[in-house]
Structure formats: structure tokens, C-alpha cells
Amino acid sequence: MYMHTRDTNLILLYCSILSGEDRWLCTLLLQQGYRIEYCAAADALTYAPEGFDEFYNQRRRWSPSTMANIMDLLGW
């Protein structure tokens, strides 16, 4: 928790933690040796973009956290 409360200027840390919390949680679990699996029987609720503009903006927001987490998993 201390890591999340520090003031930091590191863009990678910002992208990983603040922009993609669910991806960051998955990254932390994988780094601790846990396995993440797909479960077709799971129920989930989500709010998907209804138009192209919303979809584009969502992807634009998600791209930095996606790249930051991939880099972190690969050890870059």
C-alpha cells in the first residue's frame, strides 16, 4: 500500500497503477506465481462503449497501461 501513496514522477508507475487497476492487479498476481484463467461460467457486468468515439477514447486511455504492464511483466 505504501507504493500507492508515494508521490512519484515515474510514468511507468503511473500508467501501471493509476490507469489500469485491473491489469495491474493481474500483473501483481502473475509476478507472485499465481495463474489467471478464463472462466466461461462466470457472470460479469460491464458497461461497453456504444459508439465509435467512446470506443476510441476508451482504447486511447487503456493503451498506456497496457504497454506499461506488458513491459513490467517482461522485466523491461
Side-chain angles (χ1 to χ4, degrees), residues 3-60:
M3 180 189 312
H4 301 287
T5 59
R6 289 189 296 186
D7 185 25
T8 182
N9 291 324
L10 299 174
I11 190 65
L12 184 61
L13 192 60
Y14 170 79
C15 289
S16 300
I17 296 173
L18 300 178
S19 296
E21 298 86 4
D22 54 342
R23 289 184 193 275
W24 182 243
L25 177 60
C26 291
T27 299
L28 292 175
L29 290 170
L30 289 170
Q31 288 175 339
Q32 293 298 316
Y34 290 94
R35 239 172 70 185
I36 298 171
E37 295 183 4
Y38 172 75
C39 179
D43 290 325
L45 175 65
T46 189
Y47 297 100
E50 294 182 8
F52 178 77
D53 289 341
E54 284 181 271
F55 174 76
Y56 179 79
N57 287 333
Q58 178 192 62
R59 294 297 164 174
R60 191 182 64 199

